[in-house]
């Protein structure tokens, strides 16, 4: 219970951070280039091809990442939290008239945790592909990543937000 509540607190903080910093824009889905990215992960990665997507200042995630993270953050995580809280409170609300089969429905929703487990397994696998393991993990730990900047973006950052550029 404690671990679940701690995870819920981290998730709420992450949602707060995404919306207060404007980072939510990186999660807007797009279909532009989606076919190339899917082809790369299904075939090209095994042939040693270069990744077809290059990170940009205003678009860190490729189309497949944006869609996947969007589904996780907007649908799967809330489903897990709502159904998990319902499970936690079952002892308090079991006497309420909620109709037959409501606990089975909650269990069916909570099984979305397996989709999150699949996401983690795929992520660990993808950490072993392409660049070195450290190149993939370092931005997750430090919060800094190399991004291709246009001359206009670089000039803007140097002038208005020098703390965001190294």
């Amino acid at each position: 219970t404690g671990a679940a509540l701690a995870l819920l607190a981290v998730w709420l903080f992450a949602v707060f951070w995404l919306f207060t910093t404007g980072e939510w824009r990186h999660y807007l889905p797009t279909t532009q280039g989606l076919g190339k990215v899917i082809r790369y992960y299904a075939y090209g990665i095994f042939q040693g091809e270069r990744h077809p997507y290059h990170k940009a200042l205003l678009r860190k995630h490729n189309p497949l990442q944006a869609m996947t993270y969007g589904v996780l953050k907007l649908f799967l995580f809330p489903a897990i939290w709502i159904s998990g809280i319902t499970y936690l409170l079952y002892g308090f609300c079991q006497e309420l008239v909620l109709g037959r089969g409501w606990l089975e429905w909650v269990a069916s929703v909570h099984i979305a945790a397996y989709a999150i487990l699949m996401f983690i397994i795929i992520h660990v696998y993808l950490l072993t592909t392409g660049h070195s393991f450290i190149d993939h993990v370092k931005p997750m730990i430090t919060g800094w990543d190399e991004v291709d900047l246009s001359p206009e973006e670089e000039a803007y950052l140097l002038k208005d937000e020098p703390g965001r550029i190294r």
Side-chain angles (χ1 to χ4, degrees):
T1 304
L5 293 175
L7 205 54
L8 178 59
V10 168
W11 180 73
L12 289 172
F13 174 75
V15 169
F16 171 78
W17 177 81
L18 283 172
F19 284 102
T20 57
T21 62
E23 291 291 311
W24 60 271
R25 291 179 185 94
H26 294 285
Y27 297 91
L28 292 175
T30 180
T31 56
Q32 184 179 1
L34 179 61
K36 290 179 182 178
V37 173
I38 291 173
R39 183 199 169 282
Y40 170 77
Y41 284 119
Y43 174 78
I45 197 168
F46 303 110
Q47 304 302 316
E49 294 178 9
R50 291 182 51 117
H51 199 292
Y53 185 80
H54 301 287
K55 296 176 188 173
L57 177 64
L58 299 176
R59 195 84 174 149
K60 289 189 296 189
H61 302 304
N62 70 50
L64 188 60
Q65 285 174 314
M67 290 173 84
T68 303
Y69 292 140
V71 167
L72 276 170
K73 291 174 187 269
L74 294 174
F75 300 106
L76 289 179
F77 288 162
I80 292 293
W81 298 125
I82 291 168
S83 62
I85 290 169
T86 305
Y87 262 141
L88 282 174
L89 300 177
Y90 174 71
F92 297 109
C93 59
Q94 68 184 357
E95 295 180 15
L96 295 176
V97 181
L98 296 173
R100 296 181 56 88
W102 72 272
L103 190 59
E104 289 82 6
W105 182 84
V106 170
S108 298
V109 172
H110 202 68
I111 203 149
Y114 285 110
I116 295 170
L117 178 63
M118 294 269 304
F119 172 80
I120 292 169
I121 291 169
I122 291 169
H123 257 70
V124 170
Y125 166 72
L126 288 174
L127 284 174
T128 66
T129 64
H131 302 293
S132 75
F133 180 80
I134 296 299
D135 289 338
H136 288 301
V137 175
K138 186 177 176 183
M140 294 179 210
I141 295 169
T142 66
W144 292 93
D145 197 5
E146 290 188 24
V147 175
D148 296 329
L149 297 175
S150 69
E152 295 82 12
E153 291 171 330
E154 187 172 354
Y156 164 77
L157 287 174
L158 288 171
K159 181 178 180 284
D160 294 336
E161 298 185 46
R164 289 185 61 194
I165 194 168
R166 287 188 184 182

